Amino acid sequence: MAKDQLQVLNALDVAKTQLYHFTAIVIAGMGFFTDAYDLFCISLVTKLLGRIYYHHENAPKPGILPPPIAAAVNGVAFVGTLSGQLFFGWLGDKLGRKKVYGMTLMLMVICSIASGLSFGKTPNGVIATLCFFRFWLGFGIGGDYPLSATIMSEYANKKTRGAFIAAVFAMQGFGILAGGIVALIVAGAFKNAYPSPIYSVNPKDSTPPEADYVWRIIVMFGAIPALLTYYWRMKMPETARYTALVAKNAEKAAADMSKVLNVEIEVEKDKVEENRHSFGLFTKEFLRRHGLHLLGTTSTWFLLDIAFYSQNLFQKDIFSKIGWIPHPETMNALDEVFKIARAQTLIALCSTVPGYWFTVAFIDKMGRFAIQLMGFFFMTVFMFALAIPYNHWTQKENRIGFVIMYSLTFFFANFGPNATTFVVPAEIFPARLRSTCHGISAAAGKAGAIVGAFGFLYAAQSTDPLKVDAGYPTGIGVKNALIVLGCVNLLGMLFTFLVPESKGKSLEEMSKENEREEENYETESKADNAQTIPV
């Protein structure tokens, strides 16, 4: 028989949904709003960076970022994010969630501003400075993943925990949407203030000098929401599960949660002190209990992000290929930013944001497993439906159909594995390793994002040497790149079977934190019975 659950943890599991839960969602969610804004706003301005810093006189097309530089600009933040997820995930289990939570936010604020102030005497100098600060921006963003997920899971009750964690992650959709809206406003304002000819008419004047302010303002705006939530993050108490199960301070855990939940919770110091068993991450015991679970969470997040970030970062290139965004030489620099932002805003508004909130609405009814499996399945279906008849979709009269189908892959990514891969690692591992394991799972996802960011950049280039972008080798073409992404989604569906269902269960039940007590109790009972036999 397992020891009874601590009263403070029982109180959290059965607590009614109240104002504090929504406050925690907003505080943690604004971090994710900022994360998504900072990670994806760069895709709105990469074309502009190419026009400003890599323009060549008499070239038939506007300047573009050279391949290694484009890969660095798009991918360096993901390298930083991966590093931050591993480091801050580990630190969150060592020092506590609250102590580390403020560090990540301030790093994001400072580096967002510094990215926009990137300086240098040469184009490569400006881009190098931008990449340096975006790496550290990503490092701060990386810490937000395991900490926000862990904090929300440890505050939530077991009945609506999935919806609460998913709601934090759903703020990412609003961050992506905000990026498009800010770019629309800034580009629109500068376009009206500084009218310019299109590139084919006057290449030099098609990019006014003031365009350099546009990308800087867009990049720096990400500091504002992060700065606004810093004070409230510092006011949040440490989670009771960390305080009771890791820090072994039952009195403080009970006091903190009594204030939060507005109930009296009995202090059970003796029970906490007796419950001192532990096993580390690199042990046979962890491998036996959670090895397959960690393989499941890392592999599915890795595979998802290959597809998800490829689609998000390079949708402007795909839309250009099918003709939904006009050819760059038919626009000036500010008009191009405006039209790219408009396309991405429409995708975010019609599919990305609704997909996230469908998950919030249904995750505690359908369960994590069903939503993740369904999401990967439909992502696979729609990706193949786009790829196999790709030439059909490139016809002018069929472009709207392509955009609708493409939007549906975003919808089922977010009403599917993009949300569940974030939720599940925060629920199924022990409290003392929860932040670390979520960080490892998230880092595997960012490894997939790096594969997507670097790989798709080259893979989507035409097989015809005459049609590739300047400086790029031939690739496999958009059609074959989409087929590869479809196969990646299919693999994600298969690896989903390694992930357990956590709907309606307490965190301690999922992580089996009391299992050793059960084993010890059975061993002690057998020993007691053995002693009753006469000798």
Side-chain angles (χ1 to χ4, degrees):
M1 181 179 176
K3 288 187 177 295
D4 292 335
Q5 177 80 299
L6 283 165
Q7 188 184 347
V8 66
L9 304 186
N10 276 329
L12 285 168
D13 281 339
V14 300
K16 292 181 180 179
T17 301
Q18 51 194 275
L19 179 62
Y20 190 79
H21 289 118
F22 294 106
T23 304
I25 288 171
V26 172
I27 294 169
M30 285 308 291
F32 265 88
F33 177 98
T34 306
D35 296 348
Y37 182 96
D38 288 335
L39 285 176
F40 293 112
C41 72
I42 197 67
S43 67
L44 298 165
V45 299
T46 49
K47 297 273 191 184
L48 180 60
L49 290 171
R51 283 185 183 246
I52 294 171
Y53 296 111
Y54 295 92
H55 168 72
H56 299 289
E57 292 293 334
N58 302 318
K61 292 183 179 181
I64 62 170
L65 297 177
I69 292 174
V73 169
N74 281 298
V76 71
F78 296 138
V79 178
T81 304
L82 187 156
S83 307
Q85 285 162 337
L86 293 173
F87 176 73
F88 286 115
W90 168 79
L91 202 63
D93 283 332
K94 293 296 178 187
L95 300 182
R97 299 22 168 158
K98 180 185 175 180
K99 287 182 181 177
V100 184
Y101 213 23
M103 297 181 202
T104 63
L105 208 61
M106 284 313 298
L107 193 57
M108 288 157 58
V109 170
I110 292 167
C111 292
S112 286
I113 296 170
S115 294
L117 297 175
S118 295
F119 53 85
K121 293 183 178 179
T122 64
N124 285 349
V126 174
I127 299 298
T129 312
L130 173 64
C131 288
F132 173 80
F133 287 120
R134 280 192 63 79
F135 172 85
W136 290 108
L137 173 65
F139 194 72
I141 289 171
D144 223 42
Y145 275 74
L147 293 169
S148 290
T150 301
I151 284 171
M152 201 64 241
S153 73
E154 293 182 345
Y155 273 136
N157 62 55
K158 62 184 179 181
K159 185 178 178 182
T160 57
R161 185 180 61 239
F164 287 168
I165 306 172
V168 169
F169 194 62
M171 295 298 286
Q172 192 177 71
F174 289 126
I176 295 170
L177 181 62
I181 293 171
V182 169
L184 279 173
I185 293 169
V186 174
F190 273 77
K191 189 170 69 157
N192 290 332
Y194 305 102
S196 308
I198 63 173
Y199 185 87
S200 59
V201 171
N202 189 331
K204 185 177 180 181
D205 291 344
S206 69
T207 306
E210 294 80 8
D212 194 52
Y213 293 111
V214 171
W215 72 266
R216 295 177 186 274
I217 293 169
I218 292 170
V219 167
M220 284 195 287
F221 185 85
I224 296 174
L227 195 59
L228 291 175
T229 51
Y230 179 77
Y231 171 77
W232 296 107
R233 281 201 179 188
M234 293 299 92
K235 294 267 289 181
M236 292 178 78
E238 182 58 86
T239 71
R241 283 185 158 91
Y242 181 87
T243 305
L245 298 175
V246 183
K248 308 296 184 187
N249 190 338
E251 187 175 355
K252 181 166 176 52
D256 286 346
M257 290 305 105
S258 292
K259 292 176 186 175
V260 168
L261 301 175
N262 297 314
V263 296
E264 284 297 323
I265 300 174
E266 180 186 346
V267 177
E268 301 166 288
K269 186 176 180 182
D270 292 341
K271 189 181 289 186
V272 173
E273 288 179 345
E274 289 171 14
N275 186 17
R276 289 186 178 276
H277 72 282
S278 64
F279 53 84
L281 181 66
F282 301 105
T283 61
K284 289 182 180 179
E285 187 69 9
F286 178 86
L287 186 63
R288 179 181 73 82
R289 297 188 186 198
H290 300 293
L292 284 178
H293 297 163
L294 189 58
L295 175 62
T297 58
T298 52
S299 59
T300 51
W301 208 336
F302 173 78
L303 293 164
L304 164 78
D305 276 8
I306 292 176
F308 184 73
Y309 281 88
S310 293
Q311 288 174 257
N312 254 308
L313 287 174
F314 301 110
Q315 57 182 288
K316 63 185 183 301
D317 302 297
I318 293 172
F319 291 151
S320 295
K321 292 273 195 305
I322 67 162
W324 198 38
I325 295 174
H327 293 293
E329 61 271 21
T330 65
M331 299 180 284
N332 63 45
L334 297 174
D335 199 32
E336 185 174 42
V337 174
F338 186 87
K339 287 179 178 173
I340 289 170
R342 184 178 62 185
Q344 296 195 194
T345 301
L346 284 172
I347 293 290
L349 189 62
C350 298
S351 62
T352 304
V353 172
Y356 281 115
W357 290 98
F358 265 71
T359 299
V360 174
F362 291 104
I363 192 168
D364 288 312
K365 296 180 178 70
M366 294 175 59
R368 290 70 162 147
F369 177 82
I371 288 178
Q372 183 161 312
L373 198 66
M374 175 195 70
F376 269 128
F377 173 77
F378 282 111
M379 287 172 71
T380 305
V381 169
F382 287 118
M383 200 65 76
F384 284 142
L386 289 172
I388 294 170
Y390 178 73
N391 292 333
H392 166 79
W393 296 117
T394 58
Q395 303 302 313
K396 188 173 183 178
E397 63 273 16
N398 299 323
R399 288 170 185 168
I400 298 301
F402 181 96
V403 172
I404 292 170
M405 297 278 280
Y406 194 69
S407 297
L408 285 169
T409 65
F410 279 106
F411 177 81
F412 282 105
N414 296 314
F415 183 29
N418 192 41
T420 55
T421 52
F422 176 80
V423 172
V424 174
E427 299 181 307
I428 63 176
F429 298 107
R432 65 189 171 281
L433 298 171
R434 186 169 290 135
S435 180
T436 301
C437 290
H438 194 284
I440 292 170
S441 302
K446 282 300 165 283
I450 292 166
V451 171
F454 288 89
F456 196 84
L457 188 66
Y458 288 89
Q461 292 297 319
S462 174
T463 54
D464 183 350
L466 299 177
K467 295 182 179 179
V468 298
D469 292 330
Y472 285 84
T474 55
I476 60 175
V478 172
K479 174 178 179 175
N480 291 326
L482 292 174
I483 289 174
V484 169
L485 294 182
C487 293
V488 167
N489 292 329
L490 184 60
L491 278 175
M493 190 165 63
L494 296 176
F495 277 98
T496 295
F497 286 93
L498 295 176
V499 181
E501 178 57 72
S502 50
K503 181 182 75 169
K505 298 177 181 177
S506 74
L507 296 181
E508 288 67 45
E509 183 182 356
M510 282 306 303
S511 63
K512 301 178 183 177
E513 299 216 40
N514 292 325
E515 188 175 290
R516 183 173 293 186
E517 277 87 345
E518 292 179 5
E519 293 168 356
N520 290 344
Y521 180 87
E522 290 170 5
T523 303
E524 289 167 8
S525 297
K526 288 176 183 177
D528 291 342
N529 291 335
Q531 290 173 4
T532 62
I533 301 172
V535 290

